[in-house]
Amino acid sequence: MDYKEVITQIYNDVKPLFGQGKVADYIPALANVDPHQYGIAVATVDGQIMGVGDYRTKFSIQSISKVFTLVMVLRHMGSSLWQYVGREPSGTAFNSLVQLEFEQGVPRNPFINAGALVITDKLMQLYAKPKEAILQFVRSVADTPDIYFDTAVAHSELEHASRNLALGHFMKSFGNIANDVDTLMDVYCHQCGIAMTCEELAKSFVFLANRGVNPYNDEQILSMSRSKRLNALMLTCGFYDESGDFAFRVGMPGKSGVGGGIVAVIPGRLSIAVWSPELNPHGNSIMGMETLERFTTDLGVSIF
Ligand code: GLN
């Protein structure tokens, strides 16, 4: 299949949609991003990589980082993790506090902010230098040493972290956070501030399309069963309160971030990363969703 031709066609058709959404503006460092950028990259399980548009421009991966930290923690903790965080869709916004009190400080899933904070808290107990460990892991799955924190984004995020701090303190009051909340926030804001390109993101997710094996070095990153479970979580929880609609329209497991990136996989075949910073009210890239809907529809390749 000529994926390059397909994504080029979709790129040309979707590009006129610029101007429909709003870039993330909760921190100045993201509010200043040029909204009219758009890239697509595909990485196949047999090692091909292709892209179109701004697919080699770095952007802030934000919540996509929650997949990397979850994988790192799952590798160590396995199923014992699920007593601290659930695996049900939340139906609420990514930064919502509302369910936490009813559910005694145990977040619904690892991809809403509260759940991701629990995962990062665990990661800090597993690694003496958690920020370095995260970079090292992402560099290895992305098959490139050129992955860094955008410290301007991380610091901007830290200065505007009241809501995430509230989530952290609230969960700590239930005994579900072990570390000092300010130290936890420093690590969390750095992981959200990782800068990557579509090409790097597509490469870094392809192990989830390849039964947990990184095709670039044959490392088994997750067992086949855990890789399936991770895909199930991305399908049901990867797009916050729009996860159902994403499954309905696109039909791929994936993860989005408020930087405007989305990565999704078709198990057995490929991963695809799309980036365009204009978001819909749920915090998902408008052109990203449109692109992926076109991709699965035109190719007839959704997981269903
Ligand atoms: N850093 C953002 C936050 O914690 C990430 C949110 C997102 O990408 N949905 O609010």
Side-chain angles (χ1 to χ4, degrees):
M1 185 153 331
D2 188 349
Y3 294 115
K4 170 90 190 195
E5 197 184 311
V6 174
I7 59 176
T8 304
Q9 181 68 47
I10 295 174
Y11 177 85
N12 291 330
D13 291 348
V14 172
K15 204 169 176 192
L17 296 185
F18 277 141
Q20 295 195 356
K22 223 163 107 259
V23 302
D25 56 5
Y26 71 102
I27 52 168
L30 288 182
N32 294 332
V33 169
D34 171 9
H36 292 174
Q37 301 185 81
Y38 176 33
I40 312 173
V42 168
T44 63
V45 293
D46 58 7
Q48 299 173 59
I49 295 152
M50 54 231 105
V52 59
D54 301 314
Y55 76 106
R56 286 189 163 150
T57 304
K58 298 262 192 195
F59 62 92
S60 191
I61 69 166
Q62 292 296 324
S63 283
I64 297 171
S65 67
K66 294 169 180 171
V67 177
F68 297 133
T69 48
L70 176 61
V71 171
M72 291 174 76
V73 170
L74 267 180
R75 277 161 67 110
H76 288 273
M77 292 186 67
S79 295
S80 66
L81 176 64
W82 304 119
Q83 52 189 304
Y84 306 102
V85 60
R87 25 176 221 255
E88 287 294 342
S90 70
T92 53
F94 62 87
N95 55 5
S96 171
L97 283 137
V98 77
Q99 277 162 344
L100 269 184
E101 181 154 31
F102 294 120
E103 298 179 352
Q104 313 261 307
V106 177
R108 271 287 168 101
N109 67 65
F111 295 148
I112 51 173
N113 285 10
L117 287 167
V118 169
I119 302 298
T120 301
D121 184 63
K122 295 285 175 243
L123 192 137
M124 290 166 71
Q125 290 164 269
L126 293 165
Y127 294 91
K129 293 187 168 174
K131 289 194 273 191
E132 287 79 353
I134 294 170
L135 279 185
Q136 200 185 341
F137 177 75
V138 179
R139 285 171 182 157
S140 93
V141 282
D143 190 36
T144 169
D146 184 29
I147 308 275
Y148 300 96
F149 299 119
D150 180 334
T151 46
V153 170
H155 292 150
S156 187
E157 195 111 17
L158 268 169
E159 280 166 28
H160 298 83
S162 303
R163 203 174 173 96
N164 285 326
L165 286 165
L167 288 167
H169 282 290
F170 196 52
M171 290 189 289
K172 196 170 173 76
S173 78
F174 285 102
N176 203 19
I177 294 289
N179 289 281
D180 167 68
V181 176
D182 289 326
T183 320
L184 167 62
M185 208 51 60
D186 178 64
V187 179
Y188 175 77
C189 290
H190 277 82
Q191 76 178 60
C192 289
I194 293 174
M196 289 173 80
T197 67
C198 286
E199 183 175 44
E200 290 159 355
L201 271 176
K203 287 176 75 181
S204 66
F205 269 58
V206 79
F207 74 95
L208 290 167
N210 195 38
R211 298 168 172 242
V213 177
N214 179 347
Y216 307 112
N217 61 7
D218 290 328
E219 187 192 353
Q220 185 91 45
I221 298 187
L222 287 179
S223 69
M224 201 168 104
S225 159
R226 284 210 180 113
S227 172
K228 179 221 91 185
R229 290 175 171 186
L230 216 122
N231 283 331
L233 279 169
M234 291 201 296
L235 183 82
T236 52
C237 312
F239 299 85
Y240 326 114
D241 47 341
E242 198 167 35
S243 298
D245 205 44
F246 190 84
F248 182 88
R249 285 179 56 190
V250 177
M252 295 166 94
K255 185 74 201 80
S256 63
V258 290
I262 302 181
V263 201
V265 304
I266 300 181
R269 293 175 94 140
L270 56 85
S271 74
I272 173 167
V274 191
W275 169 58
S276 192
E278 290 179 324
L279 307 178
N280 68 20
H282 301 282
N284 296 318
S285 169
I286 293 183
M287 289 171 55
M289 283 188 66
E290 188 65 31
T291 300
L292 294 171
E293 182 173 13
R294 280 281 312 264
F295 187 74
T296 52
T297 308
D298 291 3
L299 292 176
V301 291
S302 97
I303 62 162
F304 302 109

